[in-house]
């Protein structure tokens, strides 16, 4: 059951109501941290429509209570619930007040509640009203035993939480226009909180927020300062500030922004505070969350630099391998011996195959390659080079997906060698078709595997089959077996940790089936 299912099943609430609840639950950690208490979202266990209940709006059936839809614990205080409240019924001591709250659409504070004999707590029940209808209830829970002397910080936090919860009850927050992304470095309550008035003047700054501005180079008191002007003076004159920054630092828009100086990088998030007046929703201030992300951005820059360096290395390796391939081609042309020329041409193709893998790695941000794209080109090229004067067609089926470089390089070499062998020996100078198929599967133990099948419709190998893996693959070459097949056997056993099987192809010809285990982090 998803969060929206109970609402949508009633037929009285629309997708907009359920989406708003999703926005609330996605962002209510902020409210829980400010309130320093648990928040629980509730919906009637049995919902009765407005007509059946003979009321202006639907609600809980007579004699029934509420069930928890979502639960969040504060990171700034101790939780009062050690079990998850999702799917749990509301305590009987609270149900009567909660029913009144649902229909009257007023806040109901309950000073002392023994919640199912778990612990004593203070509970405040808020109705969540949209378009004149209560769509759910929200309860805020504070433990009695954990009460302590409240300082200025606690007082401001809880006052701000009450103002936010008042907006939540009216459906005025969260705002659909606010960004919902979860980019790295988003500020939290524990990182730093600043209260602003309607003009953007600081009325309160938490100790962590003060520390953030110390790192930016400001040594005075933040209270009473116009934050947008103060922050602008801290920015380097040559730097470009985000155009949204003034709107964020004055609390006018529910947006996020980031600044960077030679000293520090800081992210900001603004939450305008509004109250209901005769003129509608009127902004009277804002909460500004700030976070020092200097170390986070430094590490991100290091990773970006590392990625760029690795791609450059792959690019240079590719260039060097292409140079080696070109030198082998030049040397092959000078050979008078046909055998020596063919040997150098085979070496050239092997080097070029490895170069293609490095070229693919140099163009991506990860150490994996799209093997379908790489091997598709290499497969056709290998068949064409090995079949001068023959009419050989190729068929590429299946799916390889993303493969790590340590698997892609040997597999590309193996496919190159077997395709060349299928054309030269399987088709034996005749026209025909060479096929390549890739299939991702799982072993009996559930490990991800790759099965590669290379086939030809040539002369075939009779009814016999050969399968090799592990130590047996390191044997000396048998009679009539060239260097290419020895390379294939060795790579399958040492690099792929798999097996290779030569067997008759149904309908004539030969099939070579290769199995390899895929590393877990590349099995997606």
């Amino acid at each position: 059951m998803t969060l929206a299912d109970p609402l949508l099943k009633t037929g009285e609430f629309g997708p907009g109501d359920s989406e708003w609840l999703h926005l609330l639950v996605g962002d209510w950690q902020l409210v829980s941290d400010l309130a320093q208490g648990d928040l629980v979202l509730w919906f009637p266990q049995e919902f009765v429509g407005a007509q059946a209940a003979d009321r202006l709006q639907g609600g809980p059936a007579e004699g029934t209570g509420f069930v928890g839809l979502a639960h969040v614990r504060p990171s700034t205080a101790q939780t009062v619930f050690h079990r998850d409240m999702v799917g749990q019924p509301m305590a009987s001591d609270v149900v009567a007040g909660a029913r009144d709250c649902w229909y009257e659409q007023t806040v109901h504070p309950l000073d002392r509640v023994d919640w199912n004999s778990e612990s004593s707590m203070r509970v405040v029940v808020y109705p969540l009203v949209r378009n004149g209808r209560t769509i759910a209830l929200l309860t805020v829970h504070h433990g009695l035993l954990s009460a302590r002397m409240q300082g200025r910080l606690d007082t401001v936090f809880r006052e701000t939480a009450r103002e936010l919860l008042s907006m939540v009850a009216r459906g005025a927050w969260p705002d659909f226009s606010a960004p919902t992304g979860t980019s790295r470095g988003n500020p939290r309550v524990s990182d730093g909180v600043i209260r602003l008035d309607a003009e953007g003047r600081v009325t309160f700054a938490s100790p962590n927020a003060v520390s953030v501005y110390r790192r930016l180079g400001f040594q005075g008191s933040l209270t009473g300062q116009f934050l947008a002007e103060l922050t602008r003076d801290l920015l380097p004159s040559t730097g470009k500030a985000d155009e949204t920054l003034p709107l964020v630092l004055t609390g006018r828009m529910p947006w996020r922004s980031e600044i960077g100086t030679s000293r520090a990088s800081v992210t900001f998030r603004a939450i305008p505070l509004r109250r209901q007046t005769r003129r509608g929703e009127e902004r009277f201030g804002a909460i500004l969350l700030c976070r020092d992300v200097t170390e986070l951005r430094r590490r991100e820059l290091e990773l970006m630099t590392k990625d760029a360096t690795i791609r450059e290395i792959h690019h240079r390796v590719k260039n060097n391998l292409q140079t080696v391939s070109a030198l082998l081609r030049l040397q092959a042309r000078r050979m008078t011996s046909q055998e020596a020329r063919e040997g150098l041409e085979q070496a050239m193709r092997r080097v070029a195959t490895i170069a293609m893998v490095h070229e693919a790695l140099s163009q991506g941000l990860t150490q994996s390659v799209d093997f379908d794209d790489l091997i598709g080109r290499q497969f056709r090229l290998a068949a064409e080079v090995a079949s001068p004067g023959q009419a050989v067609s190729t068929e590429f089926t299946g799916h390889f997906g993303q493969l790590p470089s340590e698997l892609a390089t040997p597999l590309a070499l193996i496919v190159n060698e077997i395709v060349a062998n299928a054309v030269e020996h399987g088709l034996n100078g005749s026209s025909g078709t060479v096929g390549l198929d890739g299939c991702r599967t799982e072993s009996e133990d559930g490990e991800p595997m790759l099965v590669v099948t290379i086939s030809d419709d040539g002369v075939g190998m009779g009814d016999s089959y050969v399968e090799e893996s592990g130590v047996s693959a390191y044997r000396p070459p048998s009679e009539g077996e060239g260097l290419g097949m020895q390379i294939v056997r060795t790579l399958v056993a040492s690099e792929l940790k798999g097996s290779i099987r030569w067997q008759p192809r149904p309908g004539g010809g030969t099939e070579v089936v290769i199995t390899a285990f895929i590393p877990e982090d590349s099995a997606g």
Side-chain angles (χ1 to χ4, degrees), residues 129 202 240 254 323 391 480 510:
V129 182
V202 178
K240 283 187 176 181
T323 301
T510 304

Side-chain angles (χ1 to χ4, degrees), residues 142-185:
H142 295 103
L144 294 178
L145 299 179
S146 61
R148 55 188 171 87
M149 293 294 292
Q150 290 193 9
R152 169 73 170 152
L153 179 71
D154 301 304
T155 302
V156 172
F157 274 18
R158 293 199 175 188
E159 178 187 345
T160 304
R162 284 192 292 271
E163 291 165 345
L164 261 180
L165 285 166
S166 177
M167 293 174 59
V168 171
R170 301 193 307 272
W173 189 86
D175 194 331
F176 278 104
S177 65
T180 58
T182 55
S183 60
R184 286 165 56 84

Side-chain angles (χ1 to χ4, degrees), residues 221-242:
S221 173
L222 285 175
T223 304
Q225 298 280 351
F226 285 97
L227 196 65
E229 297 177 5
L230 181 154
T231 307
R232 182 182 59 202
D233 294 339
L234 297 175
L235 296 176
S237 56
T238 56
K240 283 187 176 181
D242 191 335

Side-chain angles (χ1 to χ4, degrees), residues 124-314:
V124 183
V125 187
Y126 288 85
L128 304 187
V129 182
R130 296 191 80 240
N131 302 318
R133 301 169 302 169
T134 305
I135 65 171
L137 297 180
L138 182 68
T139 53
V140 185
H141 304 257
H142 295 103
L144 294 178
L145 299 179
S146 61
R148 55 188 171 87
M149 293 294 292
Q150 290 193 9
R152 169 73 170 152
L153 179 71
D154 301 304
T155 302
V156 172
F157 274 18
R158 293 199 175 188
E159 178 187 345
T160 304
R162 284 192 292 271
E163 291 165 345
L164 261 180
L165 285 166
S166 177
M167 293 174 59
V168 171
R170 301 193 307 272
W173 189 86
D175 194 331
F176 278 104
S177 65
T180 58
T182 55
S183 60
R184 286 165 56 84
N186 281 341
R188 303 154 298 189
V189 169
S190 58
D191 297 317
V193 177
I194 298 174
R195 278 293 303 262
L196 303 174
D197 62 15
E199 285 73 39
R201 185 187 290 110
V202 178
T203 60
F204 170 82
S206 70
N208 284 345
V210 172
S211 297
V212 167
Y213 268 84
R214 291 288 186 273
R215 295 185 184 101
L216 286 172
F218 180 74
Q219 300 300 323
S221 173
L222 285 175
T223 304
Q225 298 280 351
F226 285 97
L227 196 65
E229 297 177 5
L230 181 154
T231 307
R232 182 182 59 202
D233 294 339
L234 297 175
L235 296 176
S237 56
T238 56
K240 283 187 176 181
D242 191 335
E243 293 180 356
T244 65
L245 186 62
L247 295 174
V248 172
L249 294 180
T250 55
R252 297 181 183 278
M253 296 301 295
W255 295 341
R256 299 168 186 169
S257 189
E258 182 170 342
I259 63 171
T261 69
S262 58
R263 295 171 176 265
S265 296
V266 177
T267 58
F268 295 95
R269 179 189 176 188
I271 303 165
L273 295 176
R274 297 182 175 89
R275 61 166 62 101
Q276 186 73 34
T277 67
R278 290 178 298 175
R279 293 178 291 182
E281 294 284 339
E282 184 175 347
R283 185 177 63 86
F284 67 92
I287 315 168
L288 193 69
L289 305 181
C290 56
R291 179 181 180 183
D292 181 2
V293 292
T294 306
E295 282 302 306
L296 183 62
R297 296 297 181 250
R298 182 183 65 81
R299 291 170 187 168
E300 289 177 347
L301 181 60
E302 287 180 352
L303 288 175
M304 291 174 61
T305 303
K306 179 182 177 182
D307 288 339
T309 302
I310 291 174
R311 290 199 304 272
E312 179 62 21
I313 290 173
H314 283 302

Side-chain angles (χ1 to χ4, degrees), residues 6 13 43 80 97 133 173 181 223 244 277 306 325 353 402 435 446 495 519:
F13 304 107
F43 195 76
V80 297
R133 301 169 302 169
W173 189 86
T223 304
T244 65
T277 67
K306 179 182 177 182
S325 180
T353 299
Q402 293 283 334
E495 301 296 329

